[in-house]
């Protein structure tokens, strides 16, 4: 879930995957980092942002599918 760490891993030609099964790529990391920046800016201004939803069995299953895809 750490977009900054995922960006660093991508820079080293790694293949990061989130606990919910999202495979981070060069195509999606910039928008995720921008979203993180904008949320932090709102919080610094006194606003509130929602946290992630509760982790579900579907999230676990998505992670396993993505992990298998990466190691095959």
């Amino acid at each position: 879930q750490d977009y900054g760490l995922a960006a660093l891993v991508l820079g080293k030609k790694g293949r990061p995957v989130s606990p919910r099964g999202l495979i981070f790529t060069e195509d999606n990391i910039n928008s995720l980092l921008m979203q993180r920046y904008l949320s932090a800016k709102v919080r610094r201004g006194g606003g509130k942002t929602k946290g992630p939803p509760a982790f579900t069995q579907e999230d676990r299953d998505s992670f396993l599918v993505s992990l298998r895809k990466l190691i095959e």
Side-chain angles (χ1 to χ4, degrees):
Q1 289 181 192
D2 187 336
Y3 300 151
L5 179 59
L8 292 172
V9 171
L10 283 170
K12 298 286 186 178
K13 305 298 183 210
R15 297 166 64 186
V17 61
S18 79
R20 295 180 188 270
L22 173 65
I23 298 173
F24 297 105
T25 66
E26 296 293 336
D27 294 331
N28 67 14
I29 195 67
N30 287 331
S31 64
L32 293 168
L33 287 169
M34 180 57 76
Q35 186 177 27
R36 180 183 75 165
Y37 167 76
L38 293 174
S39 291
K41 190 174 177 181
V42 167
R43 288 190 301 275
R44 281 193 305 271
K48 296 187 180 204
T49 58
K50 288 185 175 185
F55 198 73
T56 65
Q57 184 60 45
E58 186 176 316
D59 294 325
R60 286 178 187 18
D61 296 342
S62 290
F63 174 78
L64 290 174
V65 167
S66 295
L67 185 60
R68 285 184 184 119
K69 187 184 301 184
L70 288 174
I71 60 176
E72 289 180 350

